[in-house]
Amino acid sequence: RRVLFRSDNAGVNPIPNRYVTRIVLASADGLTGFVCLGGFSADNILRTANGGAAFTDVTGAGASGLPSIPVRGFAVDTVVPTRWFAGTEWGVYHTRNSGATWYPMLGGPPAVSVDELVLVPNSRRLLAATHGRGMWSADLATPDPDLDGNGSVGAEDIALLLSSFGPCA
């Protein structure tokens, strides 16, 4: 099979001059996608909604943003499209709100370089291939115990769980 590529703006590059580590298309029409970059910079995940004419940094900011580390793998949850996963120099991070806040993935690989992330087709299984620590998998259908989304499981999560049951009669 042969593939033909076309450019309407040859020589114009809307992304930073860094090593591209991953390109992920997130829509059937090819207009929405992500470009992941190497380097210890703050904007290592860029999103396009117009086929690459313009890109937006989706790594968040401050303490709740993705650390300034290379991103080598990337996956978009097919059931919850605002939930993304990034395979980084220091493990797997995830966001539930389209990149506004990022957290280390609980129960995932330790702080090790993750070279590839794959959502197994027709399943809720995320696979992570690491550099030197083997393969890891996560069942995305299993409820996440981090109910408040702060990156750790604690008393706040238990309070949220209990409040969902309402008062005792």
Side-chain angles (χ1 to χ4, degrees):
R1 177 170 116 139
R2 295 177 190 244
V3 178
L4 177 66
F5 296 95
R6 186 188 110 188
S7 173
D8 294 329
N9 61 352
V12 176
N13 187 0
I15 62 174
N17 188 20
R18 292 200 306 276
Y19 185 76
V20 174
T21 58
R22 182 75 59 224
I23 298 173
V24 175
L25 294 180
S27 65
D29 62 8
L31 294 177
T32 303
F34 300 86
V35 173
C36 300
L37 303 170
F40 292 90
S41 298
D43 57 349
N44 279 337
I45 303 175
L46 303 173
R47 181 181 184 273
T48 183
N50 56 13
F55 288 88
T56 303
D57 174 21
V58 291
T59 57
S64 65
L66 189 68
S68 298
I69 51 180
V71 177
R72 294 190 186 91
F74 191 82
V76 176
D77 190 329
T78 54
V79 175
V80 184
T82 59
R83 187 176 185 198
W84 308 334
F85 303 90
T88 74
E89 184 79 11
W90 294 332
V92 177
Y93 284 78
H94 72 105
T95 178
R96 295 183 187 136
N97 54 13
S98 301
T101 54
W102 289 88
Y103 300 103
M105 193 163 167
L106 299 174
V112 64
S113 178
V114 174
D115 294 329
E116 183 67 75
L117 282 179
V118 175
L119 276 167
V120 177
N122 302 316
S123 79
R124 300 291 294 139
R125 174 91 27 211
L126 178 71
L127 301 178
T130 71
H131 184 82
R133 295 290 300 260
M135 298 271 297
W136 293 73
S137 73
D139 182 3
L140 300 182
T142 302
D144 187 348
D146 180 18
L147 299 176
D148 64 358
N150 70 354
S152 65
V153 177
E156 299 85 3
D157 300 298
I158 294 170
L160 282 170
L161 176 65
L162 294 175
S163 70
S164 69
F165 290 103
C168 294

